[in-house]
Amino acid sequence: MSDTINFDQDRLKKVTSLLVSQSRPADENSPYYELARKYNIKVDFRPFIQVDGVSYKDFRKQKVNILDHTAVIFTSRNAIDHFFRICNEGRVEVPATMKYFCISEQTANYLQKYIVIRKRKIFTGTKTAAELIELMRKHKKEKFLYPCSDVRKNDIPEFADTEEFHFTEATMYQTVSSDLSDLEDVYYDIIAFFSPSGIKSLFDNFPDFKQNNTRIAAFGPTTAKAVEDAGLKLDIQAPLPNAPSMTGALDLYIRKANNV
């Protein structure tokens, strides 16, 4: 990535409104609220995607026996919720000997909603799949179960396949497009996206969407690629060299566009 930030001068128009395609932050000190105050702009939040659980009937069609496994890999809170939901619906009593491999401490802490953490063997990374993979490598004899969405990254399954782990993938929830029909006649200067699924939702809801003067912000390379593959103009890409967050990249753009 270049160390210089070159925004398209022809599209560098004043910003008065921003739509963030995620849920409203609970933290009142969120940087998004600071952006709204700092530049006196309207910032709205709307999840473009939602998570629906796979029914127990459809889960059974995958022919996955949870108790055939000795360890479970969790990469999100959604995975935890739907794993224990499926266990409950299937009357599966997870043994105390089950081990849990969590992508982050935050994810591991969420387990206490369902189990007594201090009585279980829990292995925790610090946010990246690479670290989780290193933990798995140290426990190659485990029989891993990977509860996931129908839309997921390939890194963990590909690693497990390459190293010939005993590894089973189980789709327990699905990422689907939210109903955004009430936004049809609403215009925003910037829409911020965080995943390719968000772009898919935009066109699922508005097949004839025309970007015009709406600036598009995307977090991460896969989201940026989805923007361009959809034929949209990518105006703001995060992270930037001197702005590691979406709010940081938006701040740089708005400051320049609004000539502050």
Side-chain angles (χ1 to χ4, degrees):
M1 188 181 290
S2 171
D3 288 333
T4 58
I5 303 164
N6 296 312
F7 297 123
D8 187 334
Q9 295 297 315
D10 291 336
R11 293 178 57 77
L12 203 62
K13 303 179 186 340
K14 186 175 180 179
V15 175
T16 61
S17 60
L18 163 67
L19 178 61
V20 181
S21 61
Q22 290 184 327
S23 299
R24 177 176 294 277
D27 183 2
E28 287 302 318
N29 294 318
S30 165
Y32 287 107
Y33 299 138
E34 178 57 29
L35 273 182
R37 289 189 292 266
K38 185 176 179 181
Y39 296 108
N40 191 27
I41 63 173
K42 180 175 80 165
V43 179
D44 289 340
F45 300 88
R46 182 66 177 274
F48 274 40
I49 56 176
Q50 63 189 52
V51 172
D52 289 348
V54 168
S55 69
Y56 181 66
K57 180 181 177 183
D58 285 340
F59 168 73
R60 287 191 64 188
K61 291 176 183 176
Q62 299 177 56
K63 294 183 167 53
V64 173
N65 186 345
I66 291 171
L67 296 181
D68 282 348
H69 301 84
T70 60
V72 187
I73 300 165
F74 288 128
T75 56
S76 70
R77 291 183 177 190
N78 283 323
I80 292 174
D81 283 336
H82 290 288
F83 170 76
F84 285 102
R85 174 185 61 81
I86 289 289
C87 288
N88 183 54
E89 291 177 9
R91 295 183 175 83
V92 174
E93 189 170 333
V94 183
T97 54
M98 185 71 81
K99 296 173 183 175
Y100 301 96
F101 288 73
C102 299
I103 197 163
S104 69
E105 190 173 337
Q106 187 180 31
T107 304
N109 288 338
Y110 189 69
L111 270 171
Q112 64 191 350
K113 181 177 177 182
Y114 298 98
I115 61 173
V116 180
I117 289 182
R118 61 184 173 82
K119 293 184 178 180
R120 298 294 196 275
K121 288 192 175 179
I122 300 173
F123 304 89
T124 308
T126 57
K127 289 195 176 180
T128 69
E131 290 167 347
L132 191 59
I133 283 167
E134 280 306 309
L135 288 172
M136 291 170 62
R137 190 174 271 132
K138 292 174 183 175
H139 298 83
K140 291 190 78 165
K141 292 183 179 178
E142 301 298 339
K143 297 176 180 177
F144 289 97
L145 177 65
Y146 180 41
C148 59
S149 166
D150 59 328
V151 179
R152 53 100 178 117
K153 293 182 179 178
N154 296 325
D155 39 16
I156 292 174
E158 285 180 355
F159 161 76
D161 186 52
T162 302
E163 305 234 349
E164 297 183 352
F165 274 65
H166 187 296
F167 178 89
T168 308
E169 187 175 322
T171 301
M172 295 188 177
Y173 55 104
Q174 297 175 315
T175 303
V176 299
S177 298
S178 301
D179 180 1
L180 307 174
S181 54
D182 57 305
L183 294 179
E184 187 168 9
D185 297 317
V186 181
Y187 171 83
Y188 288 91
D189 292 319
I190 299 176
I191 305 176
F193 291 94
F194 301 84
S195 71
S197 299
I199 303 298
K200 179 179 181 296
S201 176
L202 175 69
F203 284 96
D204 281 349
N205 280 276
F206 312 113
D208 300 322
F209 174 78
K210 298 289 187 293
Q211 184 174 359
N212 298 323
N213 289 324
T214 298
R215 270 61 50 84
I216 300 291
F219 190 87
T222 56
T223 310
K225 184 177 185 300
V227 169
E228 292 170 342
D229 287 350
L232 300 174
K233 168 72 176 175
L234 178 60
D235 298 285
I236 307 158
Q237 183 171 358
L240 293 168
N242 54 343
S245 65
M246 172 62 89
T247 49
L250 288 167
D251 192 313
L252 289 175
Y253 183 89
I254 298 169
R255 185 191 313 161
K256 199 162 187 178
N258 291 15
N259 197 25
V260 175

